[in-house]
Amino acid sequence: MSDISRIRNFCIIAHIDHGKSTLADRLLEVTGTLAKRDIKDRVMDTLELEQERGITIKLQTARMLYDYQGQEGSSEQQKPSQGEYVLNLIDTPGHVDFSYEVSRSVAASEGALLLVDATQGVQAQTLSTYFKALEQNLAIIPVINKVDMDIADVDRTKLEMMDTFGFKEEEIILASGKSGIGVKEILDAIVERVPAPRVAPEGSALKALIYDSFFHEYKGVVALVKVEQGKITNRDKLYFIGSETVNTPIEVGYLKPVMVTSTALEAGEVGYVATGLKDIRQVHVGDTITHFRENKGHLEIEALPGYQPAKPMVFASLYPVDAADFSEFQDALEKLALNDAAISYQRENSQALGTGFVCGFLGLLHLEIVQERLEREFDIDLISTSPTVEFRLKLITTDYTKIPRFNPANLQEDGTYRVRTAADFPETTLVDVVLEPWVKLEIFTPEEYVGGVMELCQQKRGVYKSMEFLSKSSTGAKHAVLVYEIPSLEIMVNFFDQLKSLSHGYASMDYSFLEYRPGDIVKVDILINQVEAEALSFLAHRESALRKSRTLVEKLAEIIPRQQFSVPIQAAIGGNILARADVKAYRKDVTAKLYGGDETRKMKLLNKQKKGKKKMKAIGKVEVPKEVFMTALRSG
C-alpha cells in the first residue's frame, strides 16, 4: 500500500462491557477480513481468559480492506474518493486496570470510535478514555451500541453524549454489534472522518514506534509497530534505539488478526516485525526502530516520543508452590512481562515461602489475571501474598545496615526509601514519616445513590473535591460525577465490590495517581506461639489495623493444625497486642483409667499433665505448613 491517503488507523474505546469486541467481530465480518466459517464470538479476544470472562485484557490489531462507495446525504464536507481503503483496527480493553493498554492503542491511531452502551449510558471509563483520545488529537466518532435491545434508552443516551462531550446529534451513529445495525455507516464514517496518517516526506530515515510486543515460540520476540516514516522490509538491518539492539528480522507483516507476511511495511502502516530474538529484554514497548548504518548514522536518529511508564498501584509477592519451579517461573514472568508492559517485578526471599518476586500491578483484576495466565499458560502453581501498595519512608538514619533486606535500588532521588512489603519495613524508631499514595477517584453514579457513595468514600478516608450532575432533562438530573481524593490503600481490596453493591451495579469508577502524602501507617506483626510469621505480617492504617488483625488471627486459628499444647496467635504493633486467638491443644483423658478412690488422685494426674503441657509449650516449636500460609493469603 503506497497510497497513504487510503490508510485509516483507528481504535475502539469504551467502558467495560459496552460491546467493543462484538462490534469488532461485525467489522471483520462485513469487510470480509475473515471467512464466515472463521467468525466466532469475540474473535479479537485471543486469550482463553478473555473468552471465559467476557472481557478484553490485551489490545489486538486487525487489518481490514474496505471498498468505500460513499454515502448519500449532506455534502457539507468533501467526500473521500471511492475505492479500497486499508483500515487498521486496534481493539482495546475497557476495565480501569488495563487503561495502560488503552493509552498505547490511542497513540498508534489517528481516530477513535467512542462506544456507549444504550442500556447503560456514559460511564466513568467512557469519560477517561475520551480524554485520552482528546489529548492525542484523535478524530472521535461517537457510536451508541446495543440500540436493538428492549431496555435500550437511545434518546437518553444521545442526550448524555451531547451534554457531556458536545457532540451534534447528526454526528452520533446508532449501531448494534450483535445484529450488524449501523456497521456500514461506521465504516463509511471511519473513511470520511478519520484523517490519513501524518508522515514525513518520502526518503526520510526510518522511524517506527513499538506499541506492543509478544513472544512467539518459533519467531522469537514479535514487535507490533506503527511506521511513522520510512519503510521496513524483511531484508533490512534494523537498530532499536532504546535497547541498542541490532537485528535483521526473519519476517515482517500485518495482523488480520492472524499473522500475514508481507515484503514491506511502509509509512503510516501498522504491522509486526518478527525479530527471531530469544532475549526478551532486547525489545521494549515504546522503543523506536530505525535502519542500522555502517557509518553509525543510526546513532544520530532521534527516538520518537515513547510512553509514560506504567505506574503500578498494587503490589503482591508471587512464589512458586514448588521451589524447584523457580527458574521456570522466572522465565515465564519475563515472557509475560514482554506481552504486558505494565508488570514490574523484583526478586525477593521469604523465610516461609522461599524465593519469588514482588510484582507491581495496575489493580487487583490485573493481579488476578497475571497470576492466572502464569498458572495456565506456563503450568506453574503459584501463591500470592496479600496485595498492598508502595509506601515511601523518610528515615532518621543513614545507617542502612539497620534496614532489613536493604536494597539500594529502593532509595529514591528525593531521599525517601521505597517499601512494598511488611518484611522490608524497618523498626519504627528508624522511621520519621511514612508517605502513602493517594489517587484521584472519579465515580459515575445515578443520582439516587449519591448519598450512599459519599458515605462509603468518607469511611475510606476520602476527601471530597467536587460533584457535577450530567444528562439533565425535563425530569431533572439523572447522573452525577463525584470526585474524591482517597488513599489507594483504601480502594485496593473490596471498594469496587462495595460500590457496586450499594448502587445495585449502576455506579462505575476510574482513578489516577496523584501524589504521596503523610499517613499513620503501621506494621502489624503476626506472632504464632510468640514467633513472628513474616509472610503474614502486613502494613495498614492505624484506624483499620484492629479490624484487619482480628479477622486474620481468627482465620488462622481455624486453619492452623492443633498441637499437643495450646498455640496463641497474636497480632501486634510493636509491643502492643491488638488481637489474639488460640489453637486449642489436644488433650488426652488421663483420668480414664481411674475407677474410684479419693479425688486427690484425679487432681494429681491432671496437675502432672498441666505441667507437661506448660513445659512442652515453653520448648516446643510450631511447624506451620506452607498450605496454611497459602490458605490465609488466598482468603485474605
Side-chain angles (χ1 to χ4, degrees), residues 196-228:
R198 298 173 289 275
V199 297
E202 190 173 346
S204 300
L206 169 66
K207 283 187 180 182
L209 178 67
I210 302 175
Y211 68 87
D212 198 13
S213 58
F214 61 90
F215 189 84
H216 191 280
E217 186 176 359
Y218 304 111
K219 299 176 183 180
V221 179
V222 178
L224 300 184
V225 301
K226 180 184 179 186
V227 183
E228 298 286 352

PDB file of all heavy atoms in Angstrom, residues 196-228:
ATOM      1  N   ALA A 196      -5.968  10.537   7.289  1.00  0.00           N
ATOM      2  CA  ALA A 196      -4.890   9.616   6.941  1.00  0.00           C
ATOM      3  C   ALA A 196      -3.690   9.894   7.839  1.00  0.00           C
ATOM      4  O   ALA A 196      -3.560  10.991   8.399  1.00  0.00           O
ATOM      5  CB  ALA A 196      -4.514   9.803   5.478  1.00  0.00           C
ATOM      6  N   PRO A 197      -2.795   8.914   8.017  1.00  0.00           N
ATOM      7  CA  PRO A 197      -1.617   9.123   8.877  1.00  0.00           C
ATOM      8  C   PRO A 197      -0.782  10.303   8.393  1.00  0.00           C
ATOM      9  O   PRO A 197      -0.636  10.529   7.184  1.00  0.00           O
ATOM     10  CB  PRO A 197      -0.843   7.806   8.743  1.00  0.00           C
ATOM     11  CG  PRO A 197      -1.850   6.803   8.300  1.00  0.00           C
ATOM     12  CD  PRO A 197      -2.841   7.554   7.464  1.00  0.00           C
ATOM     13  N   ARG A 198      -0.251  11.045   9.343  1.00  0.00           N
ATOM     14  CA  ARG A 198       0.637  12.159   9.022  1.00  0.00           C
ATOM     15  C   ARG A 198       2.073  11.629   9.038  1.00  0.00           C
ATOM     16  O   ARG A 198       2.568  11.207  10.089  1.00  0.00           O
ATOM     17  CB  ARG A 198       0.464  13.289  10.034  1.00  0.00           C
ATOM     18  CG  ARG A 198      -0.932  13.879  10.036  1.00  0.00           C
ATOM     19  CD  ARG A 198      -1.133  14.884  11.158  1.00  0.00           C
ATOM     20  NE  ARG A 198      -1.180  14.220  12.459  1.00  0.00           N
ATOM     21  CZ  ARG A 198      -2.284  13.683  12.968  1.00  0.00           C
ATOM     22  NH1 ARG A 198      -3.420  13.716  12.283  1.00  0.00           N
ATOM     23  NH2 ARG A 198      -2.265  13.094  14.152  1.00  0.00           N
ATOM     24  N   VAL A 199       2.715  11.625   7.923  1.00  0.00           N
ATOM     25  CA  VAL A 199       4.061  11.039   7.821  1.00  0.00           C
ATOM     26  C   VAL A 199       5.029  12.049   7.219  1.00  0.00           C
ATOM     27  O   VAL A 199       4.636  13.035   6.595  1.00  0.00           O
ATOM     28  CB  VAL A 199       4.053   9.750   6.962  1.00  0.00           C
ATOM     29  CG1 VAL A 199       3.185   8.680   7.607  1.00  0.00           C
ATOM     30  CG2 VAL A 199       3.557  10.044   5.551  1.00  0.00           C
ATOM     31  N   ALA A 200       6.312  11.766   7.419  1.00  0.00           N
ATOM     32  CA  ALA A 200       7.377  12.633   6.888  1.00  0.00           C
ATOM     33  C   ALA A 200       7.517  12.416   5.376  1.00  0.00           C
ATOM     34  O   ALA A 200       7.042  11.417   4.837  1.00  0.00           O
ATOM     35  CB  ALA A 200       8.686  12.309   7.596  1.00  0.00           C
ATOM     36  N   PRO A 201       8.146  13.353   4.689  1.00  0.00           N
ATOM     37  CA  PRO A 201       8.317  13.215   3.238  1.00  0.00           C
ATOM     38  C   PRO A 201       9.057  11.928   2.872  1.00  0.00           C
ATOM     39  O   PRO A 201       9.829  11.381   3.661  1.00  0.00           O
ATOM     40  CB  PRO A 201       9.151  14.452   2.866  1.00  0.00           C
ATOM     41  CG  PRO A 201       8.942  15.408   3.993  1.00  0.00           C
ATOM     42  CD  PRO A 201       8.731  14.596   5.204  1.00  0.00           C
ATOM     43  N   GLU A 202       8.825  11.465   1.666  1.00  0.00           N
ATOM     44  CA  GLU A 202       9.487  10.245   1.176  1.00  0.00           C
ATOM     45  C   GLU A 202      10.999  10.433   1.172  1.00  0.00           C
ATOM     46  O   GLU A 202      11.509  11.502   0.849  1.00  0.00           O
ATOM     47  CB  GLU A 202       8.989   9.937  -0.243  1.00  0.00           C
ATOM     48  CG  GLU A 202       9.415   8.582  -0.739  1.00  0.00           C
ATOM     49  CD  GLU A 202       8.768   8.244  -2.079  1.00  0.00           C
ATOM     50  OE1 GLU A 202       7.813   8.931  -2.469  1.00  0.00           O
ATOM     51  OE2 GLU A 202       9.239   7.287  -2.709  1.00  0.00           O
ATOM     52  N   GLY A 203      11.714   9.411   1.565  1.00  0.00           N
ATOM     53  CA  GLY A 203      13.170   9.487   1.659  1.00  0.00           C
ATOM     54  C   GLY A 203      13.666   9.770   3.061  1.00  0.00           C
ATOM     55  O   GLY A 203      14.866   9.724   3.325  1.00  0.00           O
ATOM     56  N   SER A 204      12.757  10.062   3.987  1.00  0.00           N
ATOM     57  CA  SER A 204      13.147  10.313   5.376  1.00  0.00           C
ATOM     58  C   SER A 204      13.638   9.024   6.021  1.00  0.00           C
ATOM     59  O   SER A 204      13.247   7.914   5.634  1.00  0.00           O
ATOM     60  CB  SER A 204      11.966  10.873   6.180  1.00  0.00           C
ATOM     61  OG  SER A 204      11.507  12.081   5.630  1.00  0.00           O
ATOM     62  N   ALA A 205      14.499   9.166   7.021  1.00  0.00           N
ATOM     63  CA  ALA A 205      15.039   7.999   7.721  1.00  0.00           C
ATOM     64  C   ALA A 205      13.914   7.234   8.411  1.00  0.00           C
ATOM     65  O   ALA A 205      12.948   7.826   8.895  1.00  0.00           O
ATOM     66  CB  ALA A 205      16.083   8.442   8.742  1.00  0.00           C
ATOM     67  N   LEU A 206      14.070   5.928   8.467  1.00  0.00           N
ATOM     68  CA  LEU A 206      13.052   5.070   9.084  1.00  0.00           C
ATOM     69  C   LEU A 206      12.885   5.386  10.566  1.00  0.00           C
ATOM     70  O   LEU A 206      13.849   5.484  11.318  1.00  0.00           O
ATOM     71  CB  LEU A 206      13.459   3.590   8.929  1.00  0.00           C
ATOM     72  CG  LEU A 206      12.644   2.587   9.754  1.00  0.00           C
ATOM     73  CD1 LEU A 206      11.197   2.533   9.278  1.00  0.00           C
ATOM     74  CD2 LEU A 206      13.275   1.202   9.705  1.00  0.00           C
ATOM     75  N   LYS A 207      11.623   5.526  10.972  1.00  0.00           N
ATOM     76  CA  LYS A 207      11.259   5.616  12.390  1.00  0.00           C
ATOM     77  C   LYS A 207       9.960   4.839  12.578  1.00  0.00           C
ATOM     78  O   LYS A 207       8.941   5.181  11.967  1.00  0.00           O
ATOM     79  CB  LYS A 207      11.048   7.070  12.836  1.00  0.00           C
ATOM     80  CG  LYS A 207      12.320   7.867  13.054  1.00  0.00           C
ATOM     81  CD  LYS A 207      11.993   9.221  13.665  1.00  0.00           C
ATOM     82  CE  LYS A 207      13.233  10.057  13.890  1.00  0.00           C
ATOM     83  NZ  LYS A 207      12.916  11.371  14.536  1.00  0.00           N
ATOM     84  N   ALA A 208      10.026   3.804  13.384  1.00  0.00           N
ATOM     85  CA  ALA A 208       8.830   3.004  13.675  1.00  0.00           C
ATOM     86  C   ALA A 208       8.705   2.858  15.181  1.00  0.00           C
ATOM     87  O   ALA A 208       9.684   2.515  15.866  1.00  0.00           O
ATOM     88  CB  ALA A 208       8.928   1.635  13.009  1.00  0.00           C
ATOM     89  N   LEU A 209       7.515   3.113  15.705  1.00  0.00           N
ATOM     90  CA  LEU A 209       7.269   3.051  17.144  1.00  0.00           C
ATOM     91  C   LEU A 209       6.736   1.666  17.524  1.00  0.00           C
ATOM     92  O   LEU A 209       5.789   1.172  16.928  1.00  0.00           O
ATOM     93  CB  LEU A 209       6.246   4.117  17.543  1.00  0.00           C
ATOM     94  CG  LEU A 209       5.842   4.157  19.020  1.00  0.00           C
ATOM     95  CD1 LEU A 209       7.008   4.593  19.882  1.00  0.00           C
ATOM     96  CD2 LEU A 209       4.638   5.072  19.229  1.00  0.00           C
ATOM     97  N   ILE A 210       7.359   1.040  18.526  1.00  0.00           N
ATOM     98  CA  ILE A 210       6.872  -0.237  19.041  1.00  0.00           C
ATOM     99  C   ILE A 210       5.769   0.063  20.058  1.00  0.00           C
ATOM    100  O   ILE A 210       6.033   0.612  21.123  1.00  0.00           O
ATOM    101  CB  ILE A 210       8.008  -1.045  19.718  1.00  0.00           C
ATOM    102  CG1 ILE A 210       9.149  -1.293  18.727  1.00  0.00           C
ATOM    103  CG2 ILE A 210       7.474  -2.374  20.250  1.00  0.00           C
ATOM    104  CD1 ILE A 210      10.354  -1.981  19.345  1.00  0.00           C
ATOM    105  N   TYR A 211       4.517  -0.295  19.718  1.00  0.00           N
ATOM    106  CA  TYR A 211       3.421  -0.015  20.649  1.00  0.00           C
ATOM    107  C   TYR A 211       2.992  -1.255  21.425  1.00  0.00           C
ATOM    108  O   TYR A 211       2.213  -1.166  22.367  1.00  0.00           O
ATOM    109  CB  TYR A 211       2.231   0.619  19.919  1.00  0.00           C
ATOM    110  CG  TYR A 211       1.497  -0.275  18.957  1.00  0.00           C
ATOM    111  CD1 TYR A 211       0.468  -1.098  19.393  1.00  0.00           C
ATOM    112  CD2 TYR A 211       1.827  -0.277  17.605  1.00  0.00           C
ATOM    113  CE1 TYR A 211      -0.227  -1.910  18.508  1.00  0.00           C
ATOM    114  CE2 TYR A 211       1.145  -1.080  16.713  1.00  0.00           C
ATOM    115  CZ  TYR A 211       0.126  -1.896  17.175  1.00  0.00           C
ATOM    116  OH  TYR A 211      -0.553  -2.714  16.288  1.00  0.00           O
ATOM    117  N   ASP A 212       3.494  -2.418  21.044  1.00  0.00           N
ATOM    118  CA  ASP A 212       3.214  -3.639  21.804  1.00  0.00           C
ATOM    119  C   ASP A 212       4.200  -4.705  21.356  1.00  0.00           C
ATOM    120  O   ASP A 212       4.890  -4.554  20.339  1.00  0.00           O
ATOM    121  CB  ASP A 212       1.768  -4.108  21.575  1.00  0.00           C
ATOM    122  CG  ASP A 212       1.294  -5.075  22.655  1.00  0.00           C
ATOM    123  OD1 ASP A 212       1.988  -5.180  23.688  1.00  0.00           O
ATOM    124  OD2 ASP A 212       0.255  -5.722  22.472  1.00  0.00           O
ATOM    125  N   SER A 213       4.278  -5.806  22.091  1.00  0.00           N
ATOM    126  CA  SER A 213       5.174  -6.904  21.731  1.00  0.00           C
ATOM    127  C   SER A 213       4.694  -8.176  22.412  1.00  0.00           C
ATOM    128  O   SER A 213       3.967  -8.139  23.397  1.00  0.00           O
ATOM    129  CB  SER A 213       6.625  -6.583  22.134  1.00  0.00           C
ATOM    130  OG  SER A 213       6.704  -6.327  23.527  1.00  0.00           O
ATOM    131  N   PHE A 214       5.103  -9.303  21.871  1.00  0.00           N
ATOM    132  CA  PHE A 214       4.793 -10.584  22.492  1.00  0.00           C
ATOM    133  C   PHE A 214       5.843 -11.606  22.061  1.00  0.00           C
ATOM    134  O   PHE A 214       6.637 -11.359  21.138  1.00  0.00           O
ATOM    135  CB  PHE A 214       3.381 -11.069  22.136  1.00  0.00           C
ATOM    136  CG  PHE A 214       3.132 -11.287  20.665  1.00  0.00           C
ATOM    137  CD1 PHE A 214       3.371 -12.520  20.071  1.00  0.00           C
ATOM    138  CD2 PHE A 214       2.648 -10.255  19.870  1.00  0.00           C
ATOM    139  CE1 PHE A 214       3.141 -12.723  18.718  1.00  0.00           C
ATOM    140  CE2 PHE A 214       2.420 -10.443  18.514  1.00  0.00           C
ATOM    141  CZ  PHE A 214       2.668 -11.681  17.931  1.00  0.00           C
ATOM    142  N   PHE A 215       5.860 -12.746  22.750  1.00  0.00           N
ATOM    143  CA  PHE A 215       6.859 -13.780  22.465  1.00  0.00           C
ATOM    144  C   PHE A 215       6.204 -14.914  21.696  1.00  0.00           C
ATOM    145  O   PHE A 215       5.193 -15.473  22.122  1.00  0.00           O
ATOM    146  CB  PHE A 215       7.472 -14.314  23.767  1.00  0.00           C
ATOM    147  CG  PHE A 215       8.653 -15.229  23.544  1.00  0.00           C
ATOM    148  CD1 PHE A 215       9.919 -14.705  23.347  1.00  0.00           C
ATOM    149  CD2 PHE A 215       8.490 -16.608  23.524  1.00  0.00           C
ATOM    150  CE1 PHE A 215      11.003 -15.538  23.137  1.00  0.00           C
ATOM    151  CE2 PHE A 215       9.569 -17.449  23.317  1.00  0.00           C
ATOM    152  CZ  PHE A 215      10.834 -16.908  23.126  1.00  0.00           C
ATOM    153  N   HIS A 216       6.760 -15.237  20.512  1.00  0.00           N
ATOM    154  CA  HIS A 216       6.270 -16.324  19.679  1.00  0.00           C
ATOM    155  C   HIS A 216       7.252 -17.489  19.758  1.00  0.00           C
ATOM    156  O   HIS A 216       8.464 -17.285  19.696  1.00  0.00           O
ATOM    157  CB  HIS A 216       6.115 -15.861  18.227  1.00  0.00           C
ATOM    158  CG  HIS A 216       5.376 -16.808  17.348  1.00  0.00           C
ATOM    159  ND1 HIS A 216       5.969 -17.927  16.800  1.00  0.00           N
ATOM    160  CD2 HIS A 216       4.076 -16.825  16.919  1.00  0.00           C
ATOM    161  CE1 HIS A 216       5.082 -18.579  16.055  1.00  0.00           C
ATOM    162  NE2 HIS A 216       3.927 -17.936  16.123  1.00  0.00           N
ATOM    163  N   GLU A 217       6.708 -18.688  19.888  1.00  0.00           N
ATOM    164  CA  GLU A 217       7.554 -19.864  20.117  1.00  0.00           C
ATOM    165  C   GLU A 217       8.583 -20.062  19.007  1.00  0.00           C
ATOM    166  O   GLU A 217       9.714 -20.482  19.261  1.00  0.00           O
ATOM    167  CB  GLU A 217       6.668 -21.107  20.235  1.00  0.00           C
ATOM    168  CG  GLU A 217       7.427 -22.365  20.630  1.00  0.00           C
ATOM    169  CD  GLU A 217       6.509 -23.552  20.830  1.00  0.00           C
ATOM    170  OE1 GLU A 217       5.276 -23.391  20.689  1.00  0.00           O
ATOM    171  OE2 GLU A 217       7.028 -24.638  21.121  1.00  0.00           O
ATOM    172  N   TYR A 218       8.202 -19.761  17.768  1.00  0.00           N
ATOM    173  CA  TYR A 218       9.100 -20.014  16.640  1.00  0.00           C
ATOM    174  C   TYR A 218       9.722 -18.738  16.065  1.00  0.00           C
ATOM    175  O   TYR A 218      10.785 -18.788  15.452  1.00  0.00           O
ATOM    176  CB  TYR A 218       8.342 -20.740  15.520  1.00  0.00           C
ATOM    177  CG  TYR A 218       7.691 -22.023  15.979  1.00  0.00           C
ATOM    178  CD1 TYR A 218       6.305 -22.131  16.056  1.00  0.00           C
ATOM    179  CD2 TYR A 218       8.451 -23.118  16.371  1.00  0.00           C
ATOM    180  CE1 TYR A 218       5.693 -23.297  16.497  1.00  0.00           C
ATOM    181  CE2 TYR A 218       7.857 -24.289  16.825  1.00  0.00           C
ATOM    182  CZ  TYR A 218       6.485 -24.367  16.872  1.00  0.00           C
ATOM    183  OH  TYR A 218       5.896 -25.514  17.327  1.00  0.00           O
ATOM    184  N   LYS A 219       9.063 -17.613  16.260  1.00  0.00           N
ATOM    185  CA  LYS A 219       9.540 -16.365  15.660  1.00  0.00           C
ATOM    186  C   LYS A 219      10.201 -15.438  16.667  1.00  0.00           C
ATOM    187  O   LYS A 219      10.558 -14.322  16.336  1.00  0.00           O
ATOM    188  CB  LYS A 219       8.376 -15.650  14.964  1.00  0.00           C
ATOM    189  CG  LYS A 219       7.773 -16.497  13.839  1.00  0.00           C
ATOM    190  CD  LYS A 219       6.557 -15.831  13.206  1.00  0.00           C
ATOM    191  CE  LYS A 219       5.952 -16.742  12.135  1.00  0.00           C
ATOM    192  NZ  LYS A 219       4.771 -16.153  11.493  1.00  0.00           N
ATOM    193  N   GLY A 220      10.347 -15.917  17.911  1.00  0.00           N
ATOM    194  CA  GLY A 220      11.007 -15.117  18.938  1.00  0.00           C
ATOM    195  C   GLY A 220      10.166 -13.920  19.342  1.00  0.00           C
ATOM    196  O   GLY A 220       8.935 -13.959  19.314  1.00  0.00           O
ATOM    197  N   VAL A 221      10.832 -12.832  19.690  1.00  0.00           N
ATOM    198  CA  VAL A 221      10.135 -11.618  20.094  1.00  0.00           C
ATOM    199  C   VAL A 221       9.517 -10.957  18.864  1.00  0.00           C
ATOM    200  O   VAL A 221      10.211 -10.684  17.882  1.00  0.00           O
ATOM    201  CB  VAL A 221      11.084 -10.633  20.799  1.00  0.00           C
ATOM    202  CG1 VAL A 221      10.339  -9.365  21.178  1.00  0.00           C
ATOM    203  CG2 VAL A 221      11.697 -11.273  22.033  1.00  0.00           C
ATOM    204  N   VAL A 222       8.214 -10.719  18.928  1.00  0.00           N
ATOM    205  CA  VAL A 222       7.500 -10.060  17.821  1.00  0.00           C
ATOM    206  C   VAL A 222       7.094  -8.667  18.295  1.00  0.00           C
ATOM    207  O   VAL A 222       6.395  -8.521  19.296  1.00  0.00           O
ATOM    208  CB  VAL A 222       6.262 -10.866  17.402  1.00  0.00           C
ATOM    209  CG1 VAL A 222       5.508 -10.137  16.289  1.00  0.00           C
ATOM    210  CG2 VAL A 222       6.659 -12.265  16.951  1.00  0.00           C
ATOM    211  N   ALA A 223       7.547  -7.650  17.573  1.00  0.00           N
ATOM    212  CA  ALA A 223       7.217  -6.260  17.917  1.00  0.00           C
ATOM    213  C   ALA A 223       6.091  -5.771  17.015  1.00  0.00           C
ATOM    214  O   ALA A 223       6.163  -5.908  15.787  1.00  0.00           O
ATOM    215  CB  ALA A 223       8.455  -5.377  17.746  1.00  0.00           C
ATOM    216  N   LEU A 224       5.024  -5.229  17.628  1.00  0.00           N
ATOM    217  CA  LEU A 224       3.965  -4.582  16.863  1.00  0.00           C
ATOM    218  C   LEU A 224       4.346  -3.114  16.705  1.00  0.00           C
ATOM    219  O   LEU A 224       4.641  -2.440  17.700  1.00  0.00           O
ATOM    220  CB  LEU A 224       2.618  -4.704  17.579  1.00  0.00           C
ATOM    221  CG  LEU A 224       2.123  -6.139  17.838  1.00  0.00           C
ATOM    222  CD1 LEU A 224       0.741  -6.113  18.470  1.00  0.00           C
ATOM    223  CD2 LEU A 224       2.116  -6.961  16.574  1.00  0.00           C
ATOM    224  N   VAL A 225       4.358  -2.642  15.463  1.00  0.00           N
ATOM    225  CA  VAL A 225       4.899  -1.308  15.199  1.00  0.00           C
ATOM    226  C   VAL A 225       3.942  -0.470  14.359  1.00  0.00           C
ATOM    227  O   VAL A 225       3.109  -0.992  13.617  1.00  0.00           O
ATOM    228  CB  VAL A 225       6.256  -1.394  14.457  1.00  0.00           C
ATOM    229  CG1 VAL A 225       7.270  -2.171  15.275  1.00  0.00           C
ATOM    230  CG2 VAL A 225       6.097  -2.037  13.071  1.00  0.00           C
ATOM    231  N   LYS A 226       4.092   0.832  14.535  1.00  0.00           N
ATOM    232  CA  LYS A 226       3.476   1.783  13.615  1.00  0.00           C
ATOM    233  C   LYS A 226       4.622   2.536  12.941  1.00  0.00           C
ATOM    234  O   LYS A 226       5.438   3.167  13.622  1.00  0.00           O
ATOM    235  CB  LYS A 226       2.568   2.765  14.346  1.00  0.00           C
ATOM    236  CG  LYS A 226       1.917   3.763  13.384  1.00  0.00           C
ATOM    237  CD  LYS A 226       1.087   4.810  14.106  1.00  0.00           C
ATOM    238  CE  LYS A 226       0.479   5.775  13.099  1.00  0.00           C
ATOM    239  NZ  LYS A 226      -0.222   6.898  13.748  1.00  0.00           N
ATOM    240  N   VAL A 227       4.687   2.456  11.619  1.00  0.00           N
ATOM    241  CA  VAL A 227       5.771   3.107  10.869  1.00  0.00           C
ATOM    242  C   VAL A 227       5.414   4.576  10.697  1.00  0.00           C
ATOM    243  O   VAL A 227       4.471   4.926   9.992  1.00  0.00           O
ATOM    244  CB  VAL A 227       5.988   2.422   9.504  1.00  0.00           C
ATOM    245  CG1 VAL A 227       7.169   3.068   8.782  1.00  0.00           C
ATOM    246  CG2 VAL A 227       6.230   0.926   9.673  1.00  0.00           C
ATOM    247  N   GLU A 228       6.169   5.434  11.358  1.00  0.00           N
ATOM    248  CA  GLU A 228       5.910   6.875  11.290  1.00  0.00           C
ATOM    249  C   GLU A 228       6.529   7.498  10.047  1.00  0.00           C
ATOM    250  O   GLU A 228       5.981   8.425   9.458  1.00  0.00           O
ATOM    251  CB  GLU A 228       6.466   7.559  12.544  1.00  0.00           C
ATOM    252  CG  GLU A 228       5.826   7.093  13.849  1.00  0.00           C
ATOM    253  CD  GLU A 228       4.423   7.631  14.030  1.00  0.00           C
ATOM    254  OE1 GLU A 228       3.992   8.475  13.230  1.00  0.00           O
ATOM    255  OE2 GLU A 228       3.743   7.190  14.979  1.00  0.00           O
TER     256      GLU A 228
END
